[in-house]
Amino acid sequence: MEMTGQSFSRYFVAMLLLQMITPSSEKFTVNGIEGPILAPLGGKVELSCQLSPPQSAEHMEIRWFRNHYKKPVHLYKDGKDLYGETISNYVERTELLTDAIGEGEVTLRIFRVNADDDGTYHCFFKDGDFYEEAITEVKVTATSLETQILVHPPNTKGLLVECNSGGWFPQPQMEWRDSRENIIPPSSKSHSQDTDKLFNMKMTLLLQSTHGNITCYLRNPVTGQEEKTSIVLSNKLFLWSTVWKLILGLTLAILLTSTMVSSVALHRRLQNCSCNAVPPLSVGILIVSTSFIMIVSLICYLHYKKRVPVSDPHFEMDVMWLEDMTVILCVLTVFITMIISSAYFRFRVTGLQMQQVTGLWVLFLRRTLIFRCNNPAPSTEEDFDEYGITFPVLSLHSIWGDGNHPPELHSSMSPFVSGT
């Protein structure tokens, strides 16, 4: 019995020494939360991980980090938190919950969640030379509660409607819809990020005709939360194109009236004239047609030329400039055309009058020569009347004088020739 007791004692001591020499750590795995964890902006999020099989982790190194092992979000080592090792973005924003560390479960709590917290996190356990980790994904979400629709003043391009919404994360889906929930392709869509990396969305729609109820839809792709704002557009907002048509129609009407009145007046004067001249009506139609083609060409060139896109902040200013230039060019074209047509018709009238006066002078001189040949010394006006020569205003002495000066015509005198 003594030998048996001594053998057992020696065996027990050997096993104890062997246990002290052999590392006490056993292999384990780390299980994290499956699927992304949603973290509301400005709130808090908790990330948990568990050792399997369950065992105490008080003596282990527990490290939470993002992309770089040496830049921990939170570090637990030698039974305490080492806040001095934490990267600057997470200083005083993390807390490690160790209530269940005896079973190998720890939870990292992050306060005041911001857009930079979005991404993956590594939960790293190390016991001696053995280590294992689990990866957890965090999805930061933010939804704006304020969406505005702005309606710009109507112009020649149409009615510009703009939807603005800020404070989104991640970038939301954005679209226009009509009263039947049909998607309307936007004219432009843009976004920007503020200092907090939140998305500010902007979408525009250029309408040529009314669609009734217009709705701006935004949807968070992570949470599926939707925000929408609607506006009803009156038909009166689309009358600007009609107003422009009236302005251009009035301009052309003034041009047509001023030109055709002058041409008709000249046409009447030329009806009794045997001269071979271009008909004034044809000239007037040619002038009006040329001016109309010039105006339409200028308008088409300005409006269909590649200009500032709708998404550009200067789009509205560019359209205002376009409208002003269109009016100015139309007025200038009409004004110059009226001056040219007026000068042309006045020249034609003056030429006609000069032609008539010249003919009267020729006829007057011819009859005068005939009269002088037959009557070398006329003394009375009755002698002139016999040959059809009348002077209702001027006297014989004022006409003949000393016989060296030609007769003068008064603006109020009647035709020189009263007969053929």
Side-chain angles (χ1 to χ4, degrees):
M1 291 292 296
E2 291 182 0
M3 291 295 297
T4 304
Q6 291 178 355
S7 299
F8 179 78
S9 298
R10 291 175 181 176
Y11 176 78
F12 179 78
V13 172
M15 291 298 295
L16 181 60
L17 291 175
L18 182 63
Q19 185 178 6
M20 293 177 63
I21 297 173
T22 305
S24 61
S25 60
E26 60 180 288
K27 293 183 179 180
F28 55 83
T29 59
V30 181
N31 299 324
I33 300 176
E34 296 183 358
I37 300 175
L38 302 184
L41 186 74
K44 63 181 180 180
V45 62
E46 295 184 354
L47 312 178
S48 298
C49 53
Q50 169 76 53
L51 292 179
S52 180
Q55 56 186 286
S56 176
E58 294 184 22
H59 63 283
M60 298 183 185
E61 176 185 329
I62 304 174
R63 181 186 297 259
W64 286 88
F65 64 93
R66 298 290 302 274
N67 300 320
H68 301 283
Y69 173 83
K70 294 184 178 181
K71 295 181 179 181
V73 173
H74 193 94
L75 179 61
Y76 176 89
K77 190 175 181 180
D78 298 330
K80 59 183 178 180
D81 297 307
L82 301 180
Y83 291 104
E85 302 292 332
T86 304
I87 58 177
S88 59
N89 293 344
Y90 292 90
V91 172
E92 298 183 353
R93 286 205 305 124
T94 61
E95 178 185 8
L96 188 65
L97 304 181
T98 58
D99 296 339
I101 196 173
E103 289 78 29
E105 180 180 358
V106 292
T107 300
L108 176 67
R109 179 179 292 171
I110 302 176
F111 302 95
R112 302 186 300 278
V113 174
N114 56 52
D116 290 328
D117 297 333
D118 187 83
T120 57
Y121 291 79
H122 297 252
C123 177
F124 181 88
F125 282 81
K126 183 179 181 182
D127 186 9
D129 294 331
F130 182 80
Y131 59 88
E132 194 61 68
E133 69 174 1
I135 299 177
T136 303
E137 184 178 7
V138 173
K139 292 287 188 180
V140 178
T141 63
T143 301
S144 176
L145 299 178
E146 184 178 358
T147 302
Q148 295 180 341
I149 294 182
L150 302 177
V151 179
H152 294 259
N155 51 59
T156 54
K157 296 290 186 180
L159 184 67
L160 183 63
V161 184
E162 179 181 324
C163 180
N164 294 288
S165 185
W168 290 84
F169 197 90
Q171 182 178 343
Q173 300 168 352
M174 193 177 192
E175 60 191 16
W176 290 105
R177 294 185 185 178
D178 60 15
S179 56
R180 297 181 179 179
E181 296 295 320
N182 296 322
I183 297 176
I184 306 175
S187 300
S188 68
K189 187 186 295 184
S190 61
H191 69 272
S192 61
Q193 287 184 273
D194 56 21
T195 55
D196 296 326
K197 296 187 177 181
L198 300 182
F199 286 88
N200 299 317
M201 306 299 298
K202 178 181 178 181
M203 182 173 60
T204 61
L205 181 63
L206 187 61
L207 297 173
Q208 302 292 339
S209 60
T210 180
H211 285 256
N213 186 22
I214 297 295
T215 303
C216 178
Y217 272 87
L218 293 103
R219 180 180 179 274
N220 191 308
V222 176
T223 63
Q225 184 177 356
E226 291 186 354
E227 293 293 332
K228 61 181 180 179
T229 302
S230 301
I231 187 172
V232 178
L233 300 176
S234 173
N235 292 330
K236 296 180 179 179
L237 295 173
F238 298 90
L239 296 178
W240 187 244
S241 59
T242 305
V243 173
W244 266 97
K245 292 178 182 178
L246 291 175
I247 293 174
L248 295 178
L250 181 61
T251 303
L252 294 176
I254 295 174
L255 173 63
L256 179 63
T257 303
S258 61
T259 305
M260 296 308 296
V261 166
S262 300
S263 62
V264 169
L266 181 60
H267 178 75
R268 290 180 177 178
R269 292 194 180 190
L270 292 177
Q271 283 182 343
N272 298 325
C273 179
S274 60
C275 54
N276 296 323
V278 179
L281 287 178
S282 301
V283 176
I285 293 174
L286 178 62
I287 293 175
V288 173
S289 301
T290 304
S291 301
F292 178 78
I293 293 174
M294 290 180 60
I295 292 174
V296 173
S297 300
L298 287 172
I299 294 175
C300 292
Y301 173 76
L302 290 175
H303 284 258
Y304 292 100
K305 179 186 176 183
K306 186 177 180 181
R307 306 197 63 81
V308 176
V310 179
S311 57
D312 195 287
H314 302 96
F315 171 77
E316 192 171 355
M317 184 181 298
D318 180 73
V319 173
M320 293 176 62
W321 177 88
L322 181 62
E323 294 175 353
D324 294 341
M325 288 302 299
T326 302
V327 173
I328 292 173
L329 289 175
C330 288
V331 172
L332 283 177
T333 304
V334 172
F335 181 72
I336 294 173
T337 304
M338 290 175 63
I339 292 178
I340 294 174
S341 60
S342 177
Y344 171 78
F345 288 121
R346 283 183 177 274
F347 174 77
R348 289 289 302 274
V349 171
T350 303
L352 178 61
Q353 291 176 346
M354 291 298 296
Q355 187 178 3
Q356 292 176 346
V357 171
T358 303
L360 293 176
W361 269 102
V362 171
L363 185 58
F364 169 75
L365 293 175
R366 189 179 69 176
R367 289 179 177 268
T368 302
L369 291 174
I370 296 173
F371 175 77
R372 291 294 297 269
C373 291
N374 297 329
N375 300 278
S379 59
T380 63
E381 294 186 7
E382 286 76 6
D383 297 331
F384 289 91
D385 292 338
E386 292 180 6
Y387 288 85
I389 303 176
T390 58
F391 297 92
V393 177
L394 304 178
S395 63
L396 290 174
H397 180 74
S398 64
I399 295 177
W400 296 110
D402 54 1
N404 297 324
H405 300 283
E408 299 177 354
L409 297 177
H410 193 272
S411 60
S412 62
M413 63 184 299
S414 59
F416 293 108
V417 181
S418 61
T420 57

